Amino acid sequence: MSIIKKVFPLLSFIIIILRYYQCNGIKSDIRHHLGTRTPYRIKCNKDDFKIKFPNCKAHKIWMLLRHGSRLPSAKDIVGAQTVLQNLKYEVLLQHNMGKGLLNKEQLQTFEHWTCDMPQKYDNNSFQFRYTATQRTQQSAKYFSIGLFDKNNAHNVVFEPALKVDNTLRFYKDCDRWKKEVKKNPETFKEQKLYGISKEMNETLSNVSKYLGLDRVLSLDVVSLMYKICGYETSWHKHFASPWCCPFDATSIQRLEYYYDLKHYWSDGYGHNMTLRPACMLLKHMFHTLRNESRNATFLFAHSGTLLKLLAHLQLYKPKSHLRGDYVDDDRTWRASNIDCFASNIAFVMYKCKDGDKVLTLHQERVIKLPMCDKELCPLTLLEEYFHNSIHNCNHADICNVS
């Protein structure tokens, strides 16, 4: 009896883990392919180590952070409450008739699934700033708690959020970017092309068969399943979303690429106009490191902000444009890896005997900028390389439509 008591907690833990992987699958582990909804715990640097450089001392830090996990858009919440809720009952009915490939435990996750998401959703040394959204405000609040502990975090003063913030959301009020990129049909041409490809049609068919349906689900519905799978995976660490169950390693990576095409062409290297206004953020970083008296600056923004800055820095640039008629499995531009929830990029300025230098970290991992020879890069070299970003960066000049 004593042996059973000792073993029981272990068995309970194993059962939880097994249930978690019943949908995800240990080999495919779809958690790594959820695009911009990938949980930070999957991608962040978990190594606990101290970065040290001889004859150098860390002096300042400037950090941009994407908000943490959030609720879906209002459109996707409605879709989950209607389309997926109805699909759930259809799946259960089909399996009662002996159709589909879901096992008993997976069917239970569907049976118990409900969509109850609401439709609304030392200040001289530190600077905290966020955009005028609840998700960045809450991210800033809890980041400060983690940094200073709960008792001291209430003393943190957050700068008022700006309705129009041309630094943290430089693209939102950029009319030229909206015209040339966001509202340009060419921006979404490659994504639409992949959406009607043989591979995507095969994916839609396989997902539908796995669920036991007599019809083939549309791309819109399967995309909604993919999104909700991502959101619910980010919210719950030990339990899987039933909407992850129909995806295997191949299908999840196809959905991942479908959305990589969107972010590449709208937020990355697809259009030069996407990169240009990101100079607003880079100019702020250089000004802060050189001129601000504060030792630390933390800015909380969005996926679109972070991705555009990464592109402006020439990071994760593929050898050629991503296309809808060819899947680059080895691409460096993969949102699951570079833009998960709470993704971040930091610049740490070091005072060294041979001058000021800058270390760049992405998601807490040291990364070498392409224009630098080493990870610790001279500040003067970066200022020279990004001269236009610092001195010829005016939001009105860049964004006004002539």
Side-chain angles (χ1 to χ4, degrees), residues 87 90-91 94-95 99-102 200-219 221-222 225 246-247 251:
L87 182 58
E90 184 180 357
V91 169
Q94 292 296 97
H95 278 76
K99 299 179 181 179
L101 299 173
L102 295 172
M200 187 57 74
N201 284 323
E202 182 181 81
T203 294
L204 302 181
S205 178
N206 289 342
V207 168
S208 303
K209 288 178 180 178
Y210 196 90
L211 292 174
L213 304 176
D214 295 326
R215 60 191 175 92
V216 177
L217 294 169
S218 68
L219 177 56
V221 173
V222 173
M225 290 166 53
F247 298 112
S251 61

mmCIF file of all heavy atoms in Angstrom, residues 87 90-91 94-95 99-102 200-219 221-222 225 246-247 251:
data_model
loop_
_atom_site.group_PDB
_atom_site.id
_atom_site.type_symbol
_atom_site.label_atom_id
_atom_site.label_comp_id
_atom_site.label_asym_id
_atom_site.label_seq_id
_atom_site.Cartn_x
_atom_site.Cartn_y
_atom_site.Cartn_z
ATOM 1 N N LEU A 87 -19.421 22.774 -35.241
ATOM 2 C CA LEU A 87 -18.567 21.714 -35.774
ATOM 3 C C LEU A 87 -18.286 20.659 -34.710
ATOM 4 O O LEU A 87 -18.215 19.458 -35.005
ATOM 5 C CB LEU A 87 -17.258 22.311 -36.289
ATOM 6 C CG LEU A 87 -16.254 21.344 -36.921
ATOM 7 C CD1 LEU A 87 -16.869 20.601 -38.102
ATOM 8 C CD2 LEU A 87 -14.998 22.094 -37.354
ATOM 9 N N GLU A 90 -21.087 18.238 -34.672
ATOM 10 C CA GLU A 90 -21.065 17.435 -35.892
ATOM 11 C C GLU A 90 -20.005 16.337 -35.789
ATOM 12 O O GLU A 90 -20.238 15.184 -36.181
ATOM 13 C CB GLU A 90 -20.789 18.333 -37.104
ATOM 14 C CG GLU A 90 -20.851 17.587 -38.434
ATOM 15 C CD GLU A 90 -20.588 18.491 -39.623
ATOM 16 O OE1 GLU A 90 -20.412 19.720 -39.436
ATOM 17 O OE2 GLU A 90 -20.532 17.964 -40.754
ATOM 18 N N VAL A 91 -18.841 16.685 -35.264
ATOM 19 C CA VAL A 91 -17.759 15.713 -35.090
ATOM 20 C C VAL A 91 -18.184 14.598 -34.143
ATOM 21 O O VAL A 91 -17.982 13.408 -34.409
ATOM 22 C CB VAL A 91 -16.483 16.412 -34.575
ATOM 23 C CG1 VAL A 91 -15.443 15.383 -34.124
ATOM 24 C CG2 VAL A 91 -15.891 17.315 -35.658
ATOM 25 N N GLN A 94 -20.711 12.297 -35.849
ATOM 26 C CA GLN A 94 -20.074 11.431 -36.844
ATOM 27 C C GLN A 94 -19.328 10.285 -36.180
ATOM 28 O O GLN A 94 -19.351 9.147 -36.660
ATOM 29 C CB GLN A 94 -19.117 12.248 -37.708
ATOM 30 C CG GLN A 94 -19.794 13.254 -38.633
ATOM 31 C CD GLN A 94 -20.657 12.575 -39.679
ATOM 32 O OE1 GLN A 94 -21.875 12.461 -39.512
ATOM 33 N NE2 GLN A 94 -20.054 12.109 -40.744
ATOM 34 N N HIS A 95 -18.669 10.564 -35.059
ATOM 35 C CA HIS A 95 -17.934 9.501 -34.372
ATOM 36 C C HIS A 95 -18.876 8.510 -33.693
ATOM 37 O O HIS A 95 -18.551 7.330 -33.553
ATOM 38 C CB HIS A 95 -16.949 10.095 -33.362
ATOM 39 C CG HIS A 95 -15.664 10.531 -33.991
ATOM 40 N ND1 HIS A 95 -15.542 11.687 -34.727
ATOM 41 C CD2 HIS A 95 -14.427 9.944 -34.021
ATOM 42 C CE1 HIS A 95 -14.293 11.797 -35.173
ATOM 43 N NE2 HIS A 95 -13.595 10.758 -34.759
ATOM 44 N N LYS A 99 -17.472 6.962 -37.539
ATOM 45 C CA LYS A 99 -16.622 7.636 -38.519
ATOM 46 C C LYS A 99 -15.558 8.482 -37.809
ATOM 47 O O LYS A 99 -15.758 8.922 -36.690
ATOM 48 C CB LYS A 99 -17.466 8.531 -39.429
ATOM 49 C CG LYS A 99 -18.525 7.775 -40.228
ATOM 50 C CD LYS A 99 -19.339 8.726 -41.082
ATOM 51 C CE LYS A 99 -20.410 7.980 -41.873
ATOM 52 N NZ LYS A 99 -21.223 8.904 -42.698
ATOM 53 N N GLY A 100 -14.438 8.700 -38.496
ATOM 54 C CA GLY A 100 -13.382 9.542 -37.942
ATOM 55 C C GLY A 100 -12.329 8.756 -37.192
ATOM 56 O O GLY A 100 -12.484 7.562 -36.908
ATOM 57 N N LEU A 101 -11.234 9.449 -36.854
ATOM 58 C CA LEU A 101 -10.071 8.795 -36.256
ATOM 59 C C LEU A 101 -9.761 9.264 -34.835
ATOM 60 O O LEU A 101 -8.737 8.878 -34.277
ATOM 61 C CB LEU A 101 -8.843 9.033 -37.151
ATOM 62 C CG LEU A 101 -8.950 8.481 -38.582
ATOM 63 C CD1 LEU A 101 -7.753 8.922 -39.410
ATOM 64 C CD2 LEU A 101 -9.059 6.972 -38.579
ATOM 65 N N LEU A 102 -10.622 10.091 -34.263
ATOM 66 C CA LEU A 102 -10.371 10.541 -32.901
ATOM 67 C C LEU A 102 -10.538 9.381 -31.928
ATOM 68 O O LEU A 102 -11.490 8.598 -32.038
ATOM 69 C CB LEU A 102 -11.351 11.661 -32.524
ATOM 70 C CG LEU A 102 -11.224 12.970 -33.316
ATOM 71 C CD1 LEU A 102 -12.377 13.898 -32.957
ATOM 72 C CD2 LEU A 102 -9.891 13.651 -33.023
ATOM 73 N N MET A 200 -2.362 22.352 -49.835
ATOM 74 C CA MET A 200 -3.360 22.858 -48.900
ATOM 75 C C MET A 200 -4.685 22.118 -49.065
ATOM 76 O O MET A 200 -5.359 21.809 -48.067
ATOM 77 C CB MET A 200 -3.570 24.364 -49.102
ATOM 78 C CG MET A 200 -4.471 24.985 -48.041
ATOM 79 S SD MET A 200 -3.885 24.732 -46.339
ATOM 80 C CE MET A 200 -2.506 25.882 -46.281
ATOM 81 N N ASN A 201 -5.071 21.825 -50.290
ATOM 82 C CA ASN A 201 -6.301 21.051 -50.506
ATOM 83 C C ASN A 201 -6.191 19.659 -49.881
ATOM 84 O O ASN A 201 -7.165 19.133 -49.326
ATOM 85 C CB ASN A 201 -6.606 20.937 -52.005
ATOM 86 C CG ASN A 201 -7.181 22.216 -52.585
ATOM 87 O OD1 ASN A 201 -7.965 22.894 -51.918
ATOM 88 N ND2 ASN A 201 -6.791 22.561 -53.789
ATOM 89 N N GLU A 202 -5.016 19.071 -49.968
ATOM 90 C CA GLU A 202 -4.767 17.772 -49.331
ATOM 91 C C GLU A 202 -4.900 17.887 -47.817
ATOM 92 O O GLU A 202 -5.467 17.007 -47.152
ATOM 93 C CB GLU A 202 -3.372 17.288 -49.707
ATOM 94 C CG GLU A 202 -3.011 15.924 -49.154
ATOM 95 C CD GLU A 202 -1.604 15.509 -49.545
ATOM 96 O OE1 GLU A 202 -0.647 15.961 -48.888
ATOM 97 O OE2 GLU A 202 -1.469 14.744 -50.523
ATOM 98 N N THR A 203 -4.393 18.987 -47.263
ATOM 99 C CA THR A 203 -4.493 19.226 -45.825
ATOM 100 C C THR A 203 -5.946 19.359 -45.387
ATOM 101 O O THR A 203 -6.366 18.760 -44.389
ATOM 102 C CB THR A 203 -3.710 20.498 -45.440
ATOM 103 O OG1 THR A 203 -2.317 20.271 -45.665
ATOM 104 C CG2 THR A 203 -3.928 20.865 -43.982
ATOM 105 N N LEU A 204 -6.726 20.135 -46.124
ATOM 106 C CA LEU A 204 -8.140 20.314 -45.785
ATOM 107 C C LEU A 204 -8.878 18.980 -45.816
ATOM 108 O O LEU A 204 -9.717 18.699 -44.949
ATOM 109 C CB LEU A 204 -8.797 21.302 -46.757
ATOM 110 C CG LEU A 204 -8.182 22.710 -46.832
ATOM 111 C CD1 LEU A 204 -8.954 23.579 -47.814
ATOM 112 C CD2 LEU A 204 -8.153 23.363 -45.457
ATOM 113 N N SER A 205 -8.546 18.162 -46.808
ATOM 114 C CA SER A 205 -9.181 16.848 -46.927
ATOM 115 C C SER A 205 -8.794 15.932 -45.773
ATOM 116 O O SER A 205 -9.648 15.256 -45.177
ATOM 117 C CB SER A 205 -8.782 16.204 -48.265
ATOM 118 O OG SER A 205 -9.344 14.917 -48.393
ATOM 119 N N ASN A 206 -7.513 15.914 -45.425
ATOM 120 C CA ASN A 206 -7.034 15.035 -44.348
ATOM 121 C C ASN A 206 -7.606 15.438 -42.993
ATOM 122 O O ASN A 206 -7.982 14.575 -42.187
ATOM 123 C CB ASN A 206 -5.509 15.053 -44.300
ATOM 124 C CG ASN A 206 -4.883 14.340 -45.482
ATOM 125 O OD1 ASN A 206 -5.532 13.556 -46.161
ATOM 126 N ND2 ASN A 206 -3.615 14.629 -45.735
ATOM 127 N N VAL A 207 -7.659 16.733 -42.725
ATOM 128 C CA VAL A 207 -8.224 17.219 -41.462
ATOM 129 C C VAL A 207 -9.696 16.835 -41.369
ATOM 130 O O VAL A 207 -10.174 16.387 -40.316
ATOM 131 C CB VAL A 207 -8.048 18.749 -41.342
ATOM 132 C CG1 VAL A 207 -8.889 19.306 -40.195
ATOM 133 C CG2 VAL A 207 -6.579 19.103 -41.134
ATOM 134 N N SER A 208 -10.421 16.991 -42.466
ATOM 135 C CA SER A 208 -11.855 16.653 -42.488
ATOM 136 C C SER A 208 -12.079 15.167 -42.268
ATOM 137 O O SER A 208 -12.979 14.766 -41.513
ATOM 138 C CB SER A 208 -12.468 17.093 -43.826
ATOM 139 O OG SER A 208 -12.267 18.480 -44.049
ATOM 140 N N LYS A 209 -11.263 14.338 -42.898
ATOM 141 C CA LYS A 209 -11.384 12.881 -42.724
ATOM 142 C C LYS A 209 -11.063 12.471 -41.293
ATOM 143 O O LYS A 209 -11.719 11.584 -40.739
ATOM 144 C CB LYS A 209 -10.451 12.156 -43.701
ATOM 145 C CG LYS A 209 -10.911 12.210 -45.155
ATOM 146 C CD LYS A 209 -9.906 11.517 -46.069
ATOM 147 C CE LYS A 209 -10.366 11.583 -47.525
ATOM 148 N NZ LYS A 209 -9.360 10.953 -48.436
ATOM 149 N N TYR A 210 -10.055 13.098 -40.721
ATOM 150 C CA TYR A 210 -9.672 12.765 -39.346
ATOM 151 C C TYR A 210 -10.821 13.041 -38.382
ATOM 152 O O TYR A 210 -11.024 12.314 -37.404
ATOM 153 C CB TYR A 210 -8.441 13.574 -38.931
ATOM 154 C CG TYR A 210 -7.748 13.037 -37.703
ATOM 155 C CD1 TYR A 210 -6.729 12.095 -37.807
ATOM 156 C CD2 TYR A 210 -8.124 13.459 -36.423
ATOM 157 C CE1 TYR A 210 -6.092 11.595 -36.680
ATOM 158 C CE2 TYR A 210 -7.510 12.958 -35.291
ATOM 159 C CZ TYR A 210 -6.494 12.025 -35.425
ATOM 160 O OH TYR A 210 -5.881 11.514 -34.298
ATOM 161 N N LEU A 211 -11.573 14.085 -38.680
ATOM 162 C CA LEU A 211 -12.711 14.444 -37.836
ATOM 163 C C LEU A 211 -13.962 13.631 -38.162
ATOM 164 O O LEU A 211 -14.985 13.775 -37.492
ATOM 165 C CB LEU A 211 -13.013 15.940 -37.971
ATOM 166 C CG LEU A 211 -11.959 16.886 -37.391
ATOM 167 C CD1 LEU A 211 -12.300 18.340 -37.715
ATOM 168 C CD2 LEU A 211 -11.823 16.698 -35.885
ATOM 169 N N GLY A 212 -13.879 12.797 -39.213
ATOM 170 C CA GLY A 212 -15.011 11.935 -39.560
ATOM 171 C C GLY A 212 -16.100 12.618 -40.346
ATOM 172 O O GLY A 212 -17.255 12.158 -40.369
ATOM 173 N N LEU A 213 -15.780 13.714 -41.016
ATOM 174 C CA LEU A 213 -16.790 14.480 -41.736
ATOM 175 C C LEU A 213 -17.009 13.926 -43.138
ATOM 176 O O LEU A 213 -16.101 13.384 -43.769
ATOM 177 C CB LEU A 213 -16.368 15.950 -41.822
ATOM 178 C CG LEU A 213 -16.079 16.643 -40.479
ATOM 179 C CD1 LEU A 213 -15.579 18.064 -40.717
ATOM 180 C CD2 LEU A 213 -17.318 16.646 -39.592
ATOM 181 N N ASP A 214 -18.228 14.082 -43.623
ATOM 182 C CA ASP A 214 -18.565 13.644 -44.984
ATOM 183 C C ASP A 214 -18.306 14.745 -46.005
ATOM 184 O O ASP A 214 -18.583 14.562 -47.191
ATOM 185 C CB ASP A 214 -20.045 13.238 -45.052
ATOM 186 C CG ASP A 214 -20.332 12.020 -44.187
ATOM 187 O OD1 ASP A 214 -19.434 11.162 -44.083
ATOM 188 O OD2 ASP A 214 -21.444 11.933 -43.632
ATOM 189 N N ARG A 215 -17.813 15.856 -45.573
ATOM 190 C CA ARG A 215 -17.529 16.999 -46.449
ATOM 191 C C ARG A 215 -16.117 17.502 -46.156
ATOM 192 O O ARG A 215 -15.519 17.141 -45.132
ATOM 193 C CB ARG A 215 -18.532 18.125 -46.195
ATOM 194 C CG ARG A 215 -18.494 18.635 -44.757
ATOM 195 C CD ARG A 215 -19.660 19.559 -44.424
ATOM 196 N NE ARG A 215 -19.654 19.930 -43.011
ATOM 197 C CZ ARG A 215 -19.066 21.002 -42.518
ATOM 198 N NH1 ARG A 215 -18.416 21.827 -43.348
ATOM 199 N NH2 ARG A 215 -19.118 21.280 -41.224
ATOM 200 N N VAL A 216 -15.611 18.310 -47.057
ATOM 201 C CA VAL A 216 -14.287 18.901 -46.865
ATOM 202 C C VAL A 216 -14.452 20.310 -46.311
ATOM 203 O O VAL A 216 -15.157 21.141 -46.892
ATOM 204 C CB VAL A 216 -13.497 18.948 -48.188
ATOM 205 C CG1 VAL A 216 -12.148 19.641 -47.976
ATOM 206 C CG2 VAL A 216 -13.285 17.540 -48.730
ATOM 207 N N LEU A 217 -13.811 20.560 -45.192
ATOM 208 C CA LEU A 217 -13.884 21.869 -44.568
ATOM 209 C C LEU A 217 -13.189 22.926 -45.419
ATOM 210 O O LEU A 217 -12.234 22.635 -46.141
ATOM 211 C CB LEU A 217 -13.236 21.832 -43.177
ATOM 212 C CG LEU A 217 -13.939 20.978 -42.122
ATOM 213 C CD1 LEU A 217 -13.045 20.832 -40.901
ATOM 214 C CD2 LEU A 217 -15.280 21.584 -41.737
ATOM 215 N N SER A 218 -13.673 24.145 -45.332
ATOM 216 C CA SER A 218 -13.053 25.247 -46.069
ATOM 217 C C SER A 218 -11.755 25.672 -45.392
ATOM 218 O O SER A 218 -11.513 25.385 -44.217
ATOM 219 C CB SER A 218 -14.010 26.439 -46.137
ATOM 220 O OG SER A 218 -14.175 27.005 -44.845
ATOM 221 N N LEU A 219 -10.930 26.406 -46.131
ATOM 222 C CA LEU A 219 -9.679 26.926 -45.576
ATOM 223 C C LEU A 219 -9.962 27.885 -44.425
ATOM 224 O O LEU A 219 -9.224 27.916 -43.434
ATOM 225 C CB LEU A 219 -8.868 27.622 -46.670
ATOM 226 C CG LEU A 219 -7.552 28.282 -46.242
ATOM 227 C CD1 LEU A 219 -6.628 27.284 -45.562
ATOM 228 C CD2 LEU A 219 -6.862 28.918 -47.443
ATOM 229 N N VAL A 221 -12.358 27.746 -42.214
ATOM 230 C CA VAL A 221 -12.691 26.996 -41.003
ATOM 231 C C VAL A 221 -11.444 26.330 -40.423
ATOM 232 O O VAL A 221 -11.208 26.369 -39.204
ATOM 233 C CB VAL A 221 -13.787 25.949 -41.283
ATOM 234 C CG1 VAL A 221 -14.004 25.052 -40.065
ATOM 235 C CG2 VAL A 221 -15.095 26.641 -41.665
ATOM 236 N N VAL A 222 -10.633 25.714 -41.274
ATOM 237 C CA VAL A 222 -9.418 25.050 -40.793
ATOM 238 C C VAL A 222 -8.433 26.085 -40.240
ATOM 239 O O VAL A 222 -7.749 25.828 -39.248
ATOM 240 C CB VAL A 222 -8.780 24.206 -41.917
ATOM 241 C CG1 VAL A 222 -7.427 23.642 -41.475
ATOM 242 C CG2 VAL A 222 -9.713 23.063 -42.318
ATOM 243 N N MET A 225 -9.573 26.874 -36.819
ATOM 244 C CA MET A 225 -9.169 25.792 -35.927
ATOM 245 C C MET A 225 -7.706 25.964 -35.531
ATOM 246 O O MET A 225 -7.334 25.808 -34.362
ATOM 247 C CB MET A 225 -9.373 24.438 -36.613
ATOM 248 C CG MET A 225 -10.822 24.048 -36.810
ATOM 249 S SD MET A 225 -11.027 22.656 -37.962
ATOM 250 C CE MET A 225 -9.928 21.447 -37.246
ATOM 251 N N PRO A 246 -6.753 17.390 -34.924
ATOM 252 C CA PRO A 246 -6.773 16.952 -36.327
ATOM 253 C C PRO A 246 -5.487 17.206 -37.093
ATOM 254 O O PRO A 246 -5.326 16.727 -38.219
ATOM 255 C CB PRO A 246 -7.916 17.767 -36.933
ATOM 256 C CG PRO A 246 -8.701 18.289 -35.781
ATOM 257 C CD PRO A 246 -7.721 18.460 -34.678
ATOM 258 N N PHE A 247 -4.548 17.960 -36.498
ATOM 259 C CA PHE A 247 -3.328 18.322 -37.227
ATOM 260 C C PHE A 247 -2.196 17.344 -36.937
ATOM 261 O O PHE A 247 -1.906 17.046 -35.775
ATOM 262 C CB PHE A 247 -2.881 19.738 -36.852
ATOM 263 C CG PHE A 247 -3.873 20.806 -37.199
ATOM 264 C CD1 PHE A 247 -4.544 21.504 -36.202
ATOM 265 C CD2 PHE A 247 -4.143 21.120 -38.522
ATOM 266 C CE1 PHE A 247 -5.461 22.499 -36.511
ATOM 267 C CE2 PHE A 247 -5.057 22.111 -38.849
ATOM 268 C CZ PHE A 247 -5.722 22.796 -37.847
ATOM 269 N N SER A 251 0.402 18.693 -41.752
ATOM 270 C CA SER A 251 -0.666 19.690 -41.877
ATOM 271 C C SER A 251 -0.383 20.938 -41.042
ATOM 272 O O SER A 251 -0.646 22.060 -41.485
ATOM 273 C CB SER A 251 -2.012 19.076 -41.483
ATOM 274 O OG SER A 251 -1.991 18.632 -40.134
#
